[in-house]
Amino acid sequence: MGQAGDYRRKLLIAFSITATIVVAQAVGSIVTGSLALLTDTAHAVTDASGLLIALIAATLMLRPSNARRTWGFRRIEVIAALGQSTLLLVVGTYAAVEGVKRLFEPPDVPAAELLVFGIVGLIANVVSIMILSSSRGANFNMRAAFLEVLNDALGSLGVIVASIVIATTGFMQADAIAGLFIAALIVPRAFMLMRETTGVLMEFTPKGLDLDQVRVHILALDHVKSVHDLHASTVATGLTTITAHVVVEDECFTDGHAVDMLREVKRCVAEHFEISVRHSTFQIETEHIGDDEPDAVMHP
């Protein structure tokens, strides 16, 4: 609870800073007509929206689980990160298309004003990065929030470089190149985050957990004859689940050894792999149990 509350506090500060950047850069993009600054403003709007989503998600994650929501709102972090990555991808695509157009028809951009707004954006984003950096690996939600402010800081740096180039050389295409630079930063990271969060929502096997190895380890245990219906998924960051039907020798149910088998299987998935799976549900059964018959179930 305390750690989640700390995440929420950091996100609130970062959101407040980013919202201020949005207002300042929106004014700057109107004054200067700069694509780089306009793109960075759109990026800042995306950041502010993403941070607001992250803040709401961090608040919902504090709610306890109940009979209707057995995992509480833990998965909201994944949904929030997917929304943020989608917004980033849209902004990055727009910046790329507009940047190519302006390479051939560059507008006049006042370098001095562009430099001022770029510096303001960079300072504010650096402050947000410092606030969020210690928690960036905590979960999908915090990771997405950190990536957004980091990308925005790099975008502000691109705006500054473009303004200096324009002021010293008169090369107006520098603004469009800076816009393309920002797009190149946004799109790959957004795509990677989108792929990871989609994998969680689709309940793909968690990265780092090889179910073929899990099956081999379980089959290596004494009295285990086969393993079927083996599934693993991620509910939220740090919360991996696994389920399976484990077929054991008939004698295990008559000599009381089935309880020991269940304990051994749970210990196996919790200790033998890169990802320690503590939330496991195994059905211990004999090979005589058919699909149309009631199962002899032994849950943890």
Short mmCIF file of all heavy atoms in Angstrom, two decimals, residues 82 85 190-200 204:
data_model
loop_
_atom_site.label_atom_id
_atom_site.label_comp_id
_atom_site.label_asym_id
_atom_site.label_seq_id
_atom_site.Cartn_x
_atom_site.Cartn_y
_atom_site.Cartn_z
N LEU A 82 -1.06 0.02 -22.28
CA LEU A 82 -1.45 -0.20 -23.66
C LEU A 82 -2.04 1.08 -24.25
O LEU A 82 -1.75 1.45 -25.40
CB LEU A 82 -2.46 -1.35 -23.76
CG LEU A 82 -2.99 -1.68 -25.16
CD1 LEU A 82 -1.85 -2.07 -26.08
CD2 LEU A 82 -4.03 -2.79 -25.09
N SER A 85 0.84 3.53 -24.91
CA SER A 85 1.65 3.17 -26.07
C SER A 85 0.91 3.44 -27.38
O SER A 85 1.52 3.82 -28.38
CB SER A 85 2.06 1.69 -25.99
OG SER A 85 0.92 0.84 -26.01
N ALA A 190 7.12 2.74 -28.37
CA ALA A 190 5.68 2.56 -28.26
C ALA A 190 5.27 1.18 -28.77
O ALA A 190 4.44 0.49 -28.16
CB ALA A 190 4.95 3.64 -29.04
N PHE A 191 5.88 0.75 -29.88
CA PHE A 191 5.55 -0.55 -30.45
C PHE A 191 5.96 -1.68 -29.51
O PHE A 191 5.21 -2.65 -29.31
CB PHE A 191 6.24 -0.71 -31.80
CG PHE A 191 5.95 -2.03 -32.47
CD1 PHE A 191 4.74 -2.26 -33.08
CD2 PHE A 191 6.90 -3.04 -32.47
CE1 PHE A 191 4.47 -3.47 -33.69
CE2 PHE A 191 6.64 -4.26 -33.07
CZ PHE A 191 5.42 -4.48 -33.69
N MET A 192 7.14 -1.57 -28.91
CA MET A 192 7.62 -2.61 -28.00
C MET A 192 6.71 -2.72 -26.78
O MET A 192 6.36 -3.82 -26.34
CB MET A 192 9.06 -2.31 -27.57
CG MET A 192 10.10 -2.51 -28.66
SD MET A 192 11.77 -2.03 -28.13
CE MET A 192 12.00 -3.16 -26.76
N LEU A 193 6.34 -1.58 -26.21
CA LEU A 193 5.47 -1.60 -25.04
C LEU A 193 4.09 -2.13 -25.40
O LEU A 193 3.49 -2.90 -24.64
CB LEU A 193 5.35 -0.18 -24.46
CG LEU A 193 4.56 -0.05 -23.15
CD1 LEU A 193 5.19 -0.89 -22.05
CD2 LEU A 193 4.49 1.42 -22.73
N MET A 194 3.60 -1.77 -26.59
CA MET A 194 2.30 -2.27 -27.04
C MET A 194 2.33 -3.79 -27.20
O MET A 194 1.39 -4.49 -26.83
CB MET A 194 1.92 -1.60 -28.36
CG MET A 194 0.56 -2.00 -28.89
SD MET A 194 0.18 -1.20 -30.48
CE MET A 194 0.02 0.50 -29.92
N ARG A 195 3.43 -4.30 -27.75
CA ARG A 195 3.56 -5.74 -27.95
C ARG A 195 3.58 -6.48 -26.61
O ARG A 195 2.93 -7.53 -26.46
CB ARG A 195 4.83 -6.05 -28.74
CG ARG A 195 5.03 -7.52 -29.07
CD ARG A 195 6.26 -7.73 -29.91
NE ARG A 195 7.47 -7.32 -29.20
CZ ARG A 195 8.69 -7.35 -29.73
NH1 ARG A 195 8.85 -7.75 -30.98
NH2 ARG A 195 9.74 -6.96 -29.03
N GLU A 196 4.30 -5.95 -25.64
CA GLU A 196 4.39 -6.59 -24.33
C GLU A 196 3.05 -6.59 -23.60
O GLU A 196 2.64 -7.60 -23.03
CB GLU A 196 5.45 -5.91 -23.48
CG GLU A 196 6.87 -6.15 -23.97
CD GLU A 196 7.90 -5.50 -23.07
OE1 GLU A 196 7.59 -5.28 -21.88
OE2 GLU A 196 9.01 -5.19 -23.54
N THR A 197 2.38 -5.44 -23.60
CA THR A 197 1.10 -5.36 -22.89
C THR A 197 0.02 -6.18 -23.58
O THR A 197 -0.82 -6.80 -22.92
CB THR A 197 0.63 -3.90 -22.77
OG1 THR A 197 0.65 -3.27 -24.06
CG2 THR A 197 1.55 -3.12 -21.84
N THR A 198 0.06 -6.21 -24.92
CA THR A 198 -0.90 -7.05 -25.64
C THR A 198 -0.68 -8.52 -25.31
O THR A 198 -1.64 -9.28 -25.15
CB THR A 198 -0.77 -6.84 -27.17
OG1 THR A 198 -1.03 -5.46 -27.48
CG2 THR A 198 -1.75 -7.71 -27.92
N GLY A 199 0.57 -8.91 -25.18
CA GLY A 199 0.89 -10.29 -24.80
C GLY A 199 0.32 -10.66 -23.45
O GLY A 199 -0.16 -11.79 -23.24
N VAL A 200 0.32 -9.72 -22.52
CA VAL A 200 -0.26 -9.97 -21.19
C VAL A 200 -1.77 -10.12 -21.30
O VAL A 200 -2.37 -11.05 -20.74
CB VAL A 200 0.10 -8.84 -20.21
CG1 VAL A 200 -0.67 -9.02 -18.89
CG2 VAL A 200 1.59 -8.82 -19.95
N PHE A 204 -0.51 -14.67 -23.11
CA PHE A 204 0.59 -15.46 -23.63
C PHE A 204 1.48 -15.91 -22.47
O PHE A 204 1.45 -15.31 -21.39
CB PHE A 204 1.43 -14.64 -24.61
CG PHE A 204 0.71 -14.26 -25.88
CD1 PHE A 204 1.14 -13.20 -26.65
CD2 PHE A 204 -0.40 -14.98 -26.31
CE1 PHE A 204 0.49 -12.85 -27.82
CE2 PHE A 204 -1.07 -14.64 -27.47
CZ PHE A 204 -0.62 -13.57 -28.24
#
